[in-house]
Structure formats: structure tokens, C-alpha cells
Amino acid sequence: MTLFLLKRLGGALLVLLALSALVHGLFQLAPGDPARLACGERCSPQQIAQVRETLGLDAPALTRYAEFLQGLVTGRDYSTGTGVRHCSAPCLGLSYQSDQQVTELIVERLPATASLALGALVIWLVVGVGVGLLSALRRGGPTERALTVLTLAATGMPVFILGLLLLMAVCAYLRWLPFPSYVPFTENPEQWAWNLLLPWLTLGLFESAKYARLTRSSTLETLAEDHIRTFRAYGVSERAIVTRHALRGAAPPVIALSALDVGTMFGGAVLTESLFGIPGLGKTLIDGVKVIDLPVVVGVVLVIGTAVVLAHLLADLLYALADRRVVLS
């Protein structure tokens, strides 16, 4: 187990290093001048040159990348014109637009994205696994056909359309809830939950269709195996077969996919965050790309990459726990 974890952590560091180098390289090829965007349209060429020097954009690309890596390990000092500003390790740089430390910016935005992802995870597991299991147990009947139509419709519906429909129905017509406005959990846990209810439902219902189809196919595959027929021949009840064997057989792929989806959700929920005004990492990433704010983009991409890598590692561990035939090495 220890050797497995060391190998995976070493591989994760290499993946994150390659990811940071790739993002830096892509931004060298991107059109636009970050110094001009940071300074504004009315700046003179001399002022833009001064901003470029302050941001360190006049240095060669390799030098800037080396300084970025150094900041991650030892921290960096930035000139403010009249003094020096220190950025402690792991330093992801200063935002070109707000001059805020990217590490602080990510720490501010991470709780919103984590709240959205974890709440949606609960919904898509409960709804998706429940619908998939019911479809498998009612195979060929009207219940299975109705659930198949619903899951296909949910799969084909874009997430922002589903979110708009929920907003119009729940907030505009029925007026069961006010329009959502993100409230941090530390300020008011009750308002935090009420204001995230629609974003959770939007993301959870959208993802649950995929899990329903996966659970259905995995359960049917397990129920068709030889040992299940043997249990039935010995008179084992259908409830025991489903709860002790069919669900266990369907669990590994659901666990693996859930871990990966939670990892990618840290940057992939941008549509949901934008629709409901949630100040999360996905919205921060899109805003950073629009104004070529390289430190913010690289920082958010590294956080997302770390979440995905850790999710892969967690998926492997949970997979081994759910299926004893899997050996970690």
C-alpha cells in the first residue's frame, strides 16, 4: 500500500508539473497583451511598458516559468515600486488585474465550489443509483420504460437549460424559494443550504442520469452471472441477492466514476456557477481567461488538476475496498 501511494504521488507531481508547463506555453501563444489589459485602454505606451516590467512580462518565458516554480517551493518577492511585497510558499503569483495573491483568491473561492460539488454528489448518488437499481429490478415493465425515457431526456438536456427551468418554475412561478444568492456556510448554515438547493438539484439531476444508466447496466450484468443463479437455486431470497450481491457488483464502477466527477467538478461546474452567481473556481477560471490573467489561470488549473489526481487515487482505493479481487501494487 505504501509503495502504491508513493508511486501515485510521484506520478501526480509529474502530471501537475507538465500541466503547469502546458498552460504557461499556451499563454505565450495566446493573442492579446496582459499588460495593456491590466493598465487600461487610456494608458500610454510608456505606462504599458512600466506595467509590463512590474508584472515581470518583459522577462523570457522560461525565466518566468522558473520563477513560478521557485515561488511554489520557497515563495517570491515582488517589487511594488516603493518597496517589496513577499508572497509565501506555495506562491502562485499575483493577479494581473486585482494584484491579489492567487493563493488567497483560490482559498476564498474554493469553499463555494466544494459546497456545490459535494451537495450535488449526494443527489446524483441517491437519485442515480436509486433510479438505476429500480430500472434493473423492473426490467421490461412500464416502470423501466418510463425511467429510461426520463434518464435519456435528462442526459440530452444541457445543464444550463435545466437550471433555467428550475429557476423559472421554483422562483418565478411557484415562488417557493427566492432567487439564489450564495451565503458562506460559516455565516449562516441554514441560508447556505437553502441558497444552494437549486444549484445542487441542477447539477445533481443532470449527473444522476449518467449514474442511473451505469447502475442499471452493472446491476443487470451482475444478476446474470452464474453465482447469482446458484444462489437462486439454493433458495436465497431475491432481497438478499440484490442487497448483498447485485449492489456490491454495481458499486465499483459507480464509486470510480463518482470520484472522477467530483474532481473534475472543481473546474467543470462553470455553467452552474455562472447561472446561479456562485463565486467558485470555475467562474474565476473563465474570468481569468477573458483578461489573460495568467497567474490566476495557472493557479486554478493546478488546483483542478490536483483535485482530479487525488480523485483518481481515492477512486483506486475505494475500488479495491469494494472489489476484493482488485490488488493495489
Side-chain angles (χ1 to χ4, degrees):
M1 177 67 78
T2 304
L3 182 61
F4 168 78
L5 291 176
L6 290 176
K7 283 183 179 178
R8 293 302 300 267
L9 290 176
L13 289 177
L14 291 178
V15 169
L16 295 177
L17 188 63
L19 193 60
S20 65
L22 178 63
V23 176
H24 270 272
L26 289 176
F27 263 80
Q28 304 309 315
L29 303 175
D33 185 356
R36 180 181 292 279
L37 291 171
C39 188
E41 295 181 355
R42 297 183 178 180
C43 285
S44 64
Q46 291 76 16
Q47 290 173 315
I48 294 175
Q50 180 63 39
V51 171
R52 185 175 293 110
E53 181 181 355
T54 302
L55 296 177
L57 296 172
D58 55 342
L62 286 178
T63 302
R64 281 186 278 159
Y65 183 61
E67 291 175 346
F68 169 76
L69 295 180
Q70 180 189 355
L72 285 176
V73 179
T74 63
R76 291 178 64 181
D77 290 329
Y78 290 89
S79 173
T80 60
T82 57
V84 176
R85 182 179 178 187
H86 182 68
C87 178
S88 303
C91 177
L92 294 169
L94 303 181
S95 167
Y96 290 165
Q97 296 295 315
S98 63
D99 204 32
Q100 183 182 6
Q101 288 192 25
V102 175
T103 310
E104 294 178 352
L105 182 66
I106 290 174
V107 170
E108 289 177 3
R109 305 296 177 87
L110 187 59
T113 299
S115 300
L116 177 63
L118 296 179
L121 167 69
V122 174
I123 291 178
W124 82 53
L125 283 181
V126 172
V127 177
V129 173
V131 169
L133 186 61
L134 187 59
S135 296
L137 298 179
R138 298 287 188 272
R139 186 183 185 187
T143 303
E144 193 261 348
R145 286 193 288 272
L147 292 176
T148 300
V149 171
L150 287 176
T151 53
L152 285 176
T155 303
M157 180 178 294
V159 65
F160 62 93
I161 296 295
L162 179 60
L164 278 176
L165 290 175
L166 286 175
L167 272 177
M168 292 171 61
V170 177
C171 300
Y173 293 106
L174 300 174
R175 298 184 179 180
W176 288 347
L177 290 174
F179 282 93
S181 175
Y182 178 72
V183 176
F185 179 82
T186 52
E187 291 184 8
N188 190 327
E190 183 180 356
Q191 288 301 315
W192 167 82
W194 279 114
N195 283 281
L196 280 174
L197 183 58
L198 286 184
W200 285 340
L201 286 174
T202 301
L203 209 51
L205 292 177
F206 176 75
E207 293 288 339
S208 63
K210 178 172 58 181
Y211 285 86
R213 297 185 65 80
L214 179 63
T215 303
R216 176 185 177 276
S217 59
S218 299
T219 303
L220 289 176
E221 184 178 345
T222 304
L223 290 175
E225 291 180 353
D226 293 338
H227 69 282
I228 297 294
R229 285 196 289 269
T230 304
F231 288 142
R232 284 175 174 150
Y234 278 97
V236 179
S237 67
E238 195 67 20
R239 175 178 295 183
I241 288 175
V242 171
T243 55
R244 295 178 186 174
H245 303 284
L247 278 178
R248 179 175 293 179
V254 172
I255 290 172
L257 188 60
S258 296
L260 298 180
D261 278 345
V262 169
T264 55
M265 199 66 66
F266 277 80
V270 60
L271 290 177
T272 308
E273 290 181 358
S274 299
L275 180 63
F276 293 98
I278 299 174
L281 290 181
K283 189 172 184 300
T284 303
L285 177 61
I286 297 301
D287 292 341
V289 170
K290 287 179 181 175
V291 294
I292 322 179
D293 199 342
L294 178 61
V296 172
V297 174
V298 173
V300 175
V301 168
L302 284 182
V303 170
I304 296 170
T306 303
V308 172
V309 169
L310 292 178
H312 273 267
L313 178 60
L314 180 62
D316 288 340
L317 295 175
L318 293 176
Y319 205 109
L321 290 175
D323 191 343
R324 296 176 183 175
R325 295 170 296 180
V326 176
V327 179
L328 299 176
S329 61

